[in-house]
Amino acid sequence: EMPGMMNDSSSSSGFVRTVSVTDLTGPRTGEPDERFTLTAEKKQVKLRSGEVIDAWTFNGQLPGPELRVKQGDLVEVTLVNKDIDEGVTLHWHGLDVPNAEDGVAGLTQDAVMPGQTFTYRFVAEQAGSYWYHSHQQSSEQVQKGLFGPLIVEPEAGRPFGEQDITVMDPTYVTLDGSETNWLNPIDRRKIEPGTPVRLRLYNTGNWPKNFSVSGAKFKVDAIDGTEVNDPGELENVRLELAAGGRYDVTFTMPSAPVYVATDPASGLLLSPNGEGDIPKIADVSAFDPLSYGSPASTPFGPNTKFNREFTMVFDNKLGFYDGKFERLFTINGKVFPDTPMLMVKEGDLVKTTFVNRSLVPHPMHLHGHHMLVLSRNGKPSAGSPWWTDTLNVALGDSYEVAFAADNPGLWMDHCHNLDHAAIGMTLHLAYE
Ligand code: C2O
Ligand code: CU
């Protein structure tokens, strides 16, 4: 028996994750609190720039519609595939749902083919900023547009942010391979001075992305959906967001414009009158979650005895994958399906070490569980507990992370540079 695993007493501060999933499916019966239908279909979409592009969409929108629910809601989402020949699924990125609701084609379900439907049911246990995307040939399907935001508002009222604005990675690669930007031309919005603002920044692309927030002091209130304990005020700090990751940024609207952008020419300009000049972008340093906020207790401490320890070394080599000669990114020298399988038992406390000796960053995403960062390059985490579902392991870096094996099933653990996942940078976590 593993006593008191996730029932850490500090849960009053709101960021200790408590998940009590005992079943592999969500509740099969019961009237849902929220019901949505997402239809995957090919559609021409008109961007802000006026450009019309061919896309693969949910409900004809790019990104797909924002699903907004309350913590504790029983959510039912019906996926309809109209005309995506390869089939589609819905994966709830970052939300720890029961295994059978996780939406991984070939692992937790079959892909939903044209004319078919599939119904997902789960209780949204954790508040925060999450997203959904197809997990069938996801490197192609996410790039073509089959994704959207999933926001779980906390049970105890709306979080800070009367103006609650989702900013999804503004760079979009069109079907013909050219890059375009949602926020081009600049999206201008009018916000009264004094208004509490929450920006939910998402990186839905394959590479780390720098967001800058200019013109206001701000806080990073949540990382990958989990609240930061005691976040400090930041200014002129660049936010490098992992591929697949999310930061919630909060501030009080000043009387001059605030500009949020990944590149100076396309962004979101908030101002008291909806007009005004772009404030100067003056990022002088990079945000580092390793030392941000104040420490608080977690299920893991310096004396934790881990039941399992795994090491994943990322490297690269030239080789064949699916009959094509490529630069492959390997885990312990192997590509899927030869990568190791991580075996755990329910109740285990697990430590994983990531070491990146390859050429590029790898954003590691574990399904169904949240990882607590213990250290980077031997330096222990010194700020707020840093819970993540998608951790950017930069070139040359090593990280130690911990998670509790509290959600039985068969799970993906993969690089969220989805092009890397597609050439084998993936493995499975299994419960014995
Ligand atoms: Cu967001 Cu396995 O993916
Ligand atoms: Cu990678």
Side-chain angles (χ1 to χ4, degrees):
E1 213 206 24
M2 296 299 303
M5 229 207 358
M6 291 301 274
N7 321 323
D8 191 275
S9 52
S10 71
S11 52
S12 59
S13 50
F15 52 83
V16 169
R17 299 193 156 260
T18 49
V19 182
S20 55
V21 180
T22 49
D23 227 329
L24 295 187
T25 70
R28 289 294 94 192
T29 57
E31 188 58 24
D33 299 292
E34 294 287 352
R35 202 178 244 139
F36 303 97
T37 299
L38 292 176
T39 301
E41 55 183 321
K42 296 180 183 161
K43 206 83 199 202
Q44 289 204 316
V45 177
K46 192 170 173 194
L47 301 176
R48 287 177 52 77
S49 62
E51 189 188 352
V52 177
I53 59 166
D54 290 309
W56 293 7
T57 70
F58 286 115
N59 300 2
Q61 284 170 241
L62 199 58
E66 181 168 293
L67 310 186
R68 208 173 252 271
V69 304
K70 278 243 170 332
Q71 190 175 16
D73 277 355
L74 173 57
V75 182
E76 183 179 290
V77 184
T78 302
L79 168 64
V80 180
N81 182 358
K82 193 168 157 209
D83 56 7
I84 308 297
D85 294 335
E86 294 81 356
V88 292
T89 64
L90 287 171
H91 168 58
W92 316 101
H93 184 118
L95 197 64
D96 298 336
V97 298
N99 194 240
E101 315 298 326
D102 199 44
V104 179
L107 194 69
T108 65
Q109 67 172 100
D110 291 331
V112 178
M113 302 311 285
Q116 295 183 335
T117 68
F118 188 94
T119 300
Y120 299 88
R121 286 168 68 94
F122 55 83
V123 175
E125 306 224 24
Q126 306 119 26
S129 304
Y130 305 101
W131 55 304
Y132 60 85
H133 62 77
S134 180
H135 216 297
Q136 157 76 337
Q137 302 182 358
S138 43
S139 73
E140 181 188 19
Q141 296 201 352
V142 173
Q143 181 170 307
K144 287 180 172 171
L146 290 173
F147 66 91
L150 167 64
I151 288 160
V152 184
E153 293 180 355
E155 238 165 354
R158 202 182 175 89
F160 179 96
E162 209 173 285
Q163 287 283 340
D164 186 328
I165 302 170
T166 299
V167 184
M168 279 204 138
D169 173 8
T171 307
Y172 174 73
V173 184
T174 60
L175 295 197
D176 66 14
S178 61
E179 280 206 357
T180 186
N181 195 308
W182 317 112
L183 299 175
N184 175 26
I186 290 166
D187 183 3
R188 291 170 190 269
R189 300 202 198 178
K190 193 174 155 174
I191 297 190
E192 288 294 316
T195 306
V197 179
R198 173 176 300 264
L199 301 174
R200 299 175 187 268
L201 308 181
Y202 284 72
N203 182 357
T204 60
N206 279 338
W207 298 97
K209 187 139 289 182
N210 284 316
F211 284 81
S212 62
V213 180
S214 324
K217 290 189 180 154
F218 62 90
K219 294 176 177 176
V220 175
D221 182 78
I223 298 174
D224 289 355
T226 306
E227 275 176 49
V228 171
N229 185 42
D230 195 17
E233 226 161 45
L234 302 167
E235 199 178 13
N236 297 335
V237 167
R238 184 174 71 247
L239 301 173
E240 188 191 75
L241 194 44
R246 289 87 59 215
Y247 285 151
D248 279 25
V249 163
T250 57
F251 58 88
T252 301
M253 184 64 200
S255 52
V258 175
Y259 190 54
V260 188
T262 55
D263 89 64
S266 351
L268 174 65
L269 185 77
L270 310 175
S271 66
N273 56 6
E275 292 158 33
D277 292 336
I278 294 171
K280 194 162 127 266
I281 297 177
D283 297 343
V284 292
S285 59
F287 172 67
D288 187 0
L290 197 71
S291 53
Y292 184 62
S294 306
S297 72
T298 71
F300 306 98
N303 302 319
T304 298
K305 268 189 49 75
F306 288 96
N307 307 86
R308 316 267 173 156
E309 299 195 17
F310 303 110
T311 298
M312 294 187 209
V313 178
F314 311 137
D315 214 329
N316 67 98
K317 67 176 183 195
L318 295 171
F320 283 94
Y321 201 81
D322 275 348
K324 267 191 256 151
F325 193 67
E326 317 237 19
R327 177 168 303 281
L328 301 173
F329 293 102
T330 57
I331 302 175
N332 300 354
K334 302 281 201 282
V335 288
F336 189 79
D338 300 322
T339 43
M341 165 100 84
L342 308 187
M343 292 298 306
V344 296
K345 211 164 67 249
E346 188 172 5
D348 278 353
L349 300 182
V350 185
K351 180 157 118 179
T352 304
T353 304
F354 299 121
V355 180
N356 187 355
R357 293 192 189 136
S358 77
L359 302 165
V360 292
H362 298 291
M364 294 306 293
H365 174 47
L366 174 61
H367 286 216
H369 305 75
H370 273 71
M371 304 176 277
L372 177 72
V373 175
L374 303 174
S375 73
R376 182 181 61 218
N377 303 332
K379 204 171 148 219
S381 172
S384 164
W386 175 10
W387 291 97
T388 174
D389 52 62
T390 320
L391 179 67
N392 190 58
V393 184
L395 173 56
D397 273 356
S398 64
Y399 277 90
E400 289 174 307
V401 301
F403 69 90
D406 58 2
N407 197 1
L410 187 52
W411 301 98
M412 296 275 284
D413 191 357
H414 64 91
C415 181
H416 218 279
N417 180 322
L418 295 172
D419 290 340
H420 295 175
I423 51 171
M425 204 176 169
T426 183
L427 52 73
H428 291 162
L429 167 71
Y431 282 66
E432 27 176 78

